[in-house]
Amino acid sequence: MHKVILVDDESFFRKGLRSLIDWKASGFEVTGEAANGEDALALIDEVHPELVITDIRMPVLDGLELIKQVTEKEGIHPQFIIISGHSDFKYAQQAVRYGVHDFILKPIDQEEIEETLRSLSNTITEQKLVVERNIEIKKAVLLDNLIYGKVNDEESYVFSRELSLSSAAEYYYLILEVNGLPESPSEAAPDSKVKEKITKIFRDICDPHVGVFIQELEQGSYGLLIPSTYLNLFQRQICHFVNWINGLLTNNMTQAVTFYIGPAVPKLCLLKDSFEAAKNAREYKYFYEDKNIILSKDIVNDKSITYTELEDSYYHLLIEQIEENTSMAIMGTIDKIFLQFASKKMARVAVKASINRFVHAILKIIKNMEGEVSNLKNFQTMLQLQNYNLTLQQLRKLFLEFVLESKEMINILRKQSSDGEAHKIKQFVDSHYRENMSLKSIAAKFYMNPVYLGQLFKKTYGIYFKDYLLQVRINEAKKLLRQSELKIYEIAERVGFNNTDYFVTMFGKFEKITPSEYRNKLLEKRKV
């Protein structure tokens, strides 16, 4: 409903106009009256009406002078309709010059003025939408330029005046994450209307003249500019403000929300610093598992977070348990893995990279067994894990479901083909090649006939078991020769050879060169 004020020196006329017109049906609400132009000026500044209906001839300040003074002011101006008992062409001419919407003569025709009001109401609504869209576009461009440092001090000052931000003493950048997965692959975020919900909550508690500055960063992540004027009702404390927002969102949404708060900056042109700090705070999400509000100032002095992945032993252990089809052992190992994420204080990107490594290793096993990985329920989700905001518990649940489902598929594939047994043997060799093993000992471990195992392995992989074991050991030896300063006998022991001479002989057989010559050749290449 648009606001309108009535200006006429005759009170009975104003009352008559109030009662004559169906204001609500016409799209307006009368929010004030004035008996002269001077009082009307003050009322316009107070009420900010979209329409002023005024007489021309009034004491103190007449209608045309009122219109002139209002239109000469900066800012958004109301529309004007003149109602007069005088049909002087000069008045109408001046009214047109000032951009008056209509000039209506007394006595008033009810249908005529209501039709005028309905038409004007539609026009004002459309104009408001255009203005709001333009403001939102300007805000989006401004925020984007600010967080990437593309706005200088002078430009930010102009923007702050245009967008009513100049009264703020400080500015914060807040990143808000909505945790969870979309209900269907076609959804862009866990809650397709989350941006509207956030905007509505902010509008309800913030200064309407300032508005809401929000931008979509990634799927389910939003960035907000928080001027210090937002904090007037919260003891000027950003934490109190965010706690309040968190409570309102909790009541309006089913998804868990995580907040990252950058430090206050004194100028808009410095907002990039607050943004970068808030973005960096996101890496501490799993470090502060029990918190959903993370302040960048709390982590400034904390350098203990690590970006390294898990130890290889966890990968080998979990893959082995998946192939052995032991659900309880798998769940226990996954618990240990997630305890490692916490104890090693791993950054979010490192946690997801570790999970990603598990996922690709498992998918590789299924593909090698000629399974269809796309049949896994969470196949696409696990491949796009970096795109989703998940709490540590959500991530654990999703990963466990994926692992258990993959285990079932691998078990079915193994039963469908004897190749599964050979694959199991191959995986064991890949993980335990350092140990003393032979075809006979492996066959005993997996309750198989040694002759059958040898035939099965040769048929599946095109190489004899003994040659494959030697090949794995020689490849690992080459890696150690490239990456370490270990002596030849130390390398021989590490890759499963009890005898150094035998190691050198086998190395020469496979590579046509001795281990020392292989290393020296590498050193010469590096010098060149």
Side-chain angles (χ1 to χ4, degrees), residues 179-448:
N179 295 296
L181 297 172
E183 292 180 4
S184 66
S186 61
E187 286 188 20
D191 187 331
S192 58
K193 295 184 178 178
V194 68
K195 187 176 179 181
E196 289 84 348
K197 289 180 180 180
I198 296 168
T199 303
K200 184 179 184 304
I201 286 172
F202 270 70
R203 279 182 177 152
D204 288 345
I205 64 172
C206 298
D207 185 345
H209 299 299
V210 176
V212 180
F213 293 79
I214 183 170
Q215 62 183 156
E216 293 186 41
L217 299 176
E218 301 127 18
Q219 183 167 280
S221 298
Y222 304 87
L224 292 117
L225 166 63
I226 310 295
S228 57
T229 48
Y230 281 9
L231 313 180
N232 291 338
L233 299 176
F234 302 91
Q235 301 174 331
R236 296 191 174 276
Q237 296 295 315
I238 186 72
C239 288
H240 296 342
F241 173 77
V242 175
N243 271 315
W244 176 262
I245 296 295
N246 181 44
L248 293 176
L249 284 175
T250 302
N251 293 333
N252 283 273
M253 292 168 55
T254 56
Q255 292 82 8
V257 178
T258 309
F259 299 87
Y260 308 91
I261 307 171
V265 292
K267 295 180 179 179
L268 267 181
C269 60
L270 300 175
L271 192 67
K272 180 186 177 183
D273 297 338
S274 188
F275 164 71
E276 292 290 347
K279 188 170 73 168
N280 180 58
R282 298 174 81 179
E283 291 304 321
Y284 288 75
K285 180 172 186 171
Y286 300 141
F287 181 68
Y288 294 111
E289 183 189 355
D290 56 337
K291 292 184 179 180
N292 76 321
I293 299 175
I294 301 174
L295 282 83
S296 60
K297 68 177 185 180
D298 291 343
I299 61 177
V300 169
N301 299 319
D302 188 349
K303 305 297 183 185
S304 58
I305 196 168
T306 177
Y307 288 84
T308 56
E309 292 184 31
L310 281 176
E311 297 168 9
D312 287 348
S313 59
Y314 288 99
Y315 294 99
H316 298 317
L317 178 60
L318 185 62
I319 296 300
E320 189 176 300
Q321 290 168 345
I322 289 171
E323 292 179 329
E324 289 174 354
N325 195 25
T326 52
S327 298
M328 293 302 294
I330 286 171
M331 287 188 278
T333 298
I334 288 177
D335 284 339
K336 290 176 184 176
I337 288 168
F338 276 77
L339 284 172
Q340 280 291 302
F341 291 156
S343 65
K344 289 186 176 293
K345 302 177 181 177
M346 290 174 64
R348 177 165 73 170
V349 66
V351 170
K352 286 192 173 181
S354 297
I355 296 295
N356 193 49
R357 183 177 168 187
F358 278 114
V359 169
H360 282 280
I362 293 167
L363 294 178
K364 185 177 179 181
I365 293 171
I366 295 173
K367 287 178 181 177
N368 288 342
M369 297 178 74
E370 299 183 357
E372 187 54 63
V373 294
S374 60
N375 289 336
L376 294 167
K377 185 178 71 173
N378 290 323
F379 166 65
Q380 288 294 340
T381 301
M382 298 308 294
L383 287 183
Q384 298 173 20
L385 200 60
Q386 298 293 342
N387 298 331
Y388 301 115
N389 302 315
L390 300 168
T391 64
L392 200 60
Q393 288 305 313
Q394 288 172 337
L395 182 60
R396 183 193 175 282
K397 180 175 181 292
L398 182 67
F399 181 54
L400 178 60
E401 289 174 356
F402 170 77
V403 170
L404 292 178
E405 186 185 9
S406 299
K407 178 206 61 131
E408 289 302 318
M409 179 178 282
I410 289 169
N411 189 41
I412 291 168
L413 290 169
R414 182 180 292 115
K415 289 176 181 176
Q416 290 173 346
S417 171
S418 60
D419 289 352
E421 294 299 330
H423 180 78
K424 191 174 180 181
I425 304 301
K426 178 177 176 293
Q427 288 295 310
F428 183 85
V429 172
D430 290 343
S431 301
H432 298 81
Y433 62 87
R434 297 178 182 85
E435 300 170 12
N436 185 23
M437 67 172 70
S438 64
L439 181 64
K440 188 175 180 180
S441 66
I442 294 295
K445 180 175 179 60
F446 290 96
Y447 306 103
M448 297 175 69

Side-chain angles (χ1 to χ4, degrees), residues 2-170:
H2 305 306
K3 293 178 285 187
V4 59
I5 65 170
L6 310 178
V7 186
D8 197 294
D9 57 337
E10 297 179 8
S11 62
F12 73 89
F13 178 76
R14 299 197 304 269
K15 289 176 183 176
L17 200 59
R18 268 184 180 268
S19 58
L20 174 69
I21 298 168
D22 186 345
W23 294 100
K24 188 174 182 181
S26 302
F28 288 91
E29 174 190 6
V30 179
T31 54
E33 296 179 17
N36 58 68
E38 189 172 76
D39 291 345
L41 270 177
L43 190 59
I44 290 169
D45 288 339
E46 178 188 342
V47 175
H48 302 290
E50 284 82 10
L51 173 62
V52 177
I53 298 178
T54 181
D55 191 6
I56 289 181
R57 294 185 178 180
M58 294 180 297
V60 187
L61 190 71
D62 68 21
L64 289 175
E65 186 60 29
L66 165 66
I67 296 168
K68 179 185 175 185
Q69 290 193 30
V70 171
T71 53
E72 287 176 350
K73 286 185 175 182
E74 289 186 5
I76 299 172
H77 306 133
Q79 296 280 357
F80 284 92
I81 292 177
I82 292 177
I83 296 180
S84 177
H86 306 279
S87 58
D88 192 322
F89 178 71
K90 289 181 181 179
Y91 288 132
Q93 200 174 33
Q94 278 186 279
V96 170
R97 197 159 53 241
Y98 291 141
V100 171
H101 180 76
D102 209 346
F103 192 105
I104 299 174
L105 292 174
K106 297 175 182 178
I108 295 169
D109 182 284
Q110 181 183 356
E111 289 185 6
E112 178 189 353
I113 192 168
E114 286 184 352
E115 177 59 33
T116 297
L117 290 171
R118 283 193 293 272
S119 174
L120 180 57
S121 175
N122 293 333
T123 300
I124 291 171
T125 299
E126 290 171 6
Q127 289 174 343
K128 277 185 172 180
L129 289 173
V130 170
V131 169
E132 285 178 7
R133 276 197 296 269
N134 289 338
I135 289 174
E136 291 306 313
I137 290 170
K138 183 176 283 189
K139 284 180 179 179
V141 172
L142 170 64
L143 265 182
D144 203 52
N145 287 336
L146 283 171
I147 65 174
Y148 293 112
K150 297 178 181 178
V151 180
N152 60 38
D153 194 10
E154 184 178 341
E155 290 170 332
S156 68
Y157 176 73
V158 173
F159 280 126
S160 67
R161 284 180 59 84
E162 287 182 7
L163 299 172
S164 303
L165 287 167
S166 54
S167 59
E170 295 177 321

